[in-house]
Amino acid sequence: MGIYLEKKIEAGLSTLEEKYPLKTLNKKYTIGVPCEKDENETRVGLIPEAVSSFVKNGYRVVVERNAGKWAKISNLEYSEAGAEICDDTKEVFQADILFKVQPPTLTEIEWMKNNAILFSIIHICIQTVEYFKALIQKKITGFCYELIKDECGHFPFLKAMSQITGKMATLIASEYLCHPKYGKGSILGVVAGSPASKVVIIGAGTVARHAAHSFLCMGCEVKIFDNSIHRLNRIQDLLHAPVSTSILLPPKLAKAIQEADVVVTALYSKTSISPCIIAENVVKQMKTGSVIIDISIDQGGCVETSVPTTQKNPVFVKHGITHYCVPNIPARVPYTASCALSNLLIPILEEFCASGELNNLLHMQYGLRNGVYLYQGTLTNSIIGNHFQINYQDINLLFDTRLG
């Protein structure tokens, strides 16, 4: 299994433009915003304000009818922003630059034109080698939101969605703890005369910080576990509240989980595959009616009993424990999430339009270049290449980064 790409870069023998010619961006380019066909995806690729950024720079923007339906954004709002409302899905996918949330399906990739530019999420752990083969065959240039960095080297798109996810964890826990079918009939937090809810959070990143802050505000007793003392120290400093922290010692973690009302897994893996932290025998020892929110499910999950669920059927019960394992929690608040996504895109779009050529922008912006996983059909992401046994080329070798 594997695709062996014959294209090689020989430094100094030719320029990037000779090897990878790109058309100059101009008003003839078409921007496409299709509907998300995945029933679990309610967000939209661009909000009207982002559409305006393209239109004022002379671009044609085509938005599929009802693309913003679930985010409560009307066709009229897109039209007033300068977009053309289109009823033909295939026509939208014929755009030169596509803005989606979920990765396109194999059928949608067939509709795309050769050498198109795609902005979307990837979800490596649920993709297949056929997906990447199809993109490679179409010579697509693909940008992954999760991989784009800012000038400080952070991941702004991932951070924005993580903030939303962390805050949503509290609402989800509250909903199911008191649920007559799935919960234990208790309120999240603390009231006079009853003990505080006990919450275990695994991970100490952005999701964990925002989740912990929200749980603490509700009066919960919070314990945070992570495999990094640095991250544990940082989250304690940022929370400005009494919170118990510990490295991931199995006996100590198991005891805390057995006593917990809510367990939230929020470990992010750079390899896109989450480690299994909570074994099934530990889940069996939890209190009946407790809730597990496996946020790491989009990378495979940290709980042995977890399996992906959907927005329509978000939970299941295993060993008396309610499991919430929806991969894209921000889709529960599509308007907020779509605004957050587009607000991060707008500055990039402005530079994208002003730069004249994609090469110029990628040459100047290392952070944006980091988000490229396919460059005109050449795979440039090592994690994808190694996972699917596809040959890849380091994108930094495709650009002359020497000053002057």
Side-chain angles (χ1 to χ4, degrees):
M1 181 176 68
I3 299 173
Y4 294 93
L5 306 175
E6 297 179 354
K7 188 177 294 181
K8 296 180 179 179
I9 301 299
E10 296 179 5
L13 296 182
S14 59
T15 65
L16 174 66
E17 289 75 11
E18 290 170 336
K19 288 181 175 291
Y20 298 95
L22 275 175
K23 294 179 285 186
T24 300
L25 295 178
N26 53 53
K27 64 182 181 181
K28 294 182 180 179
Y29 258 54
T30 301
I31 312 301
V33 183
C35 289
E36 298 292 336
K37 299 303 190 292
D38 187 334
E39 64 178 5
N40 296 307
E41 186 52 74
T42 56
R43 294 167 289 183
V44 62
L46 292 178
I47 62 174
E49 290 80 359
V51 169
S52 296
S53 295
F54 275 121
V55 173
K56 74 180 183 181
N57 282 283
Y59 294 88
R60 177 181 175 231
V61 181
V62 179
V63 176
E64 186 173 358
R65 187 175 298 278
N66 297 325
K69 175 183 177 180
W70 300 112
K72 308 302 181 184
I73 302 174
S74 68
N75 297 320
L76 179 60
E77 290 176 86
Y78 280 113
S79 181
E80 290 178 340
E84 299 175 22
I85 307 302
C86 180
D87 292 305
D88 187 347
T89 303
K90 291 183 180 181
E91 181 180 341
V92 178
F93 275 93
Q94 279 293 299
D96 302 294
I97 307 173
L98 282 165
F99 287 92
K100 286 187 92 282
V101 181
Q102 290 295 320
T105 64
L106 292 176
T107 298
E108 289 171 339
I109 293 174
E110 288 180 8
W111 294 339
M112 293 170 65
K113 66 193 303 182
N114 290 337
N115 297 301
I117 298 170
L118 170 67
F119 285 81
S120 75
I121 293 169
I122 294 182
H123 290 321
I124 296 175
C125 66
I126 62 174
Q127 288 302 347
T128 63
V129 68
E130 287 75 22
Y131 172 80
F132 293 103
K133 283 182 178 180
L135 291 174
I136 289 170
Q137 186 174 10
K138 285 277 187 174
K139 299 187 182 301
I140 300 300
T141 294
F143 288 83
C144 174
Y145 293 132
E146 308 104 296
L147 300 178
I148 294 175
K149 291 183 178 181
D150 59 20
E151 60 274 12
C152 298
H154 300 146
F155 297 91
F157 293 88
L158 191 60
K159 183 177 181 180
M161 294 303 111
S162 296
Q163 290 174 346
I164 293 172
T165 300
K167 294 178 185 297
M168 287 300 300
T170 309
L171 301 178
I172 294 165
S174 177
E175 175 183 352
Y176 287 103
L177 270 183
C178 66
H179 196 284
K181 178 179 179 181
Y182 296 108
K184 55 194 298 186
S186 64
I187 191 171
L188 178 70
V190 62
V191 295
S194 64
S197 302
K198 294 183 178 182
V199 178
V200 170
I201 299 176
I202 299 175
T206 302
V207 173
R209 176 163 63 91
H210 285 269
H213 179 265
S214 297
F215 280 119
L216 288 168
C217 287
M218 295 291 290
C220 299
E221 179 184 316
V222 178
K223 294 182 179 180
I224 302 174
F225 292 80
D226 195 89
N227 51 13
S228 167
I229 291 294
H230 168 70
R231 286 195 292 270
L232 291 173
N233 283 329
R234 183 181 60 185
I235 199 169
Q236 274 194 323
D237 293 340
L238 291 172
L239 287 173
H240 302 293
V243 58
S244 173
T245 61
S246 172
I247 59 173
L248 286 166
L249 296 172
K252 190 171 185 179
L253 176 62
K255 185 176 186 300
I257 290 174
Q258 291 165 20
E259 298 173 350
D261 300 293
V262 180
V263 175
V264 178
T265 68
L267 277 180
Y268 174 74
S269 172
K270 292 182 178 180
T271 64
S272 297
I273 304 296
S274 296
C276 182
I277 301 297
I278 304 175
E280 184 169 1
N281 68 312
V282 176
V283 175
K284 288 180 179 179
Q285 298 173 38
M286 292 178 67
K287 296 182 291 186
T288 300
S290 297
V291 177
I292 291 175
I293 305 173
D294 197 348
I295 293 172
S296 301
I297 195 67
D298 62 342
Q299 292 189 319
C302 291
V303 185
E304 189 175 6
T305 49
S306 290
V307 293
T309 56
T310 65
Q311 296 288 357
K312 288 187 176 181
N313 298 290
V315 297
F316 64 90
V317 177
K318 181 83 170 179
H319 303 308
I321 309 304
T322 297
H323 292 61
Y324 185 98
C325 305
V326 178
N328 55 332
I329 289 177
R332 281 187 60 138
V333 285
Y335 180 75
T336 299
S338 297
C339 287
L341 186 64
S342 283
N343 286 339
L344 291 168
L345 277 173
I346 288 173
I348 296 175
L349 302 183
E350 293 287 353
E351 293 189 50
F352 195 66
C353 295
S355 64
E357 289 187 358
L358 182 61
N359 278 357
N360 294 339
L361 187 60
L362 293 179
H363 177 84
M364 294 183 294
Q365 289 203 16
Y366 171 80
L368 183 61
R369 190 192 315 164
N370 193 75
V372 179
Y373 63 95
L374 274 174
Y375 187 78
Q376 294 191 337
T378 296
L379 185 67
T380 58
N381 184 280
S382 60
I383 294 175
I384 296 174
N386 292 329
H387 186 71
F388 293 101
Q389 298 180 22
I390 304 174
N391 280 7
Y392 62 90
Q393 171 69 58
D394 186 342
I395 191 170
N396 294 307
L397 297 180
L398 303 180
F399 290 85
D400 181 7
T401 56
R402 294 171 297 177
L403 294 176

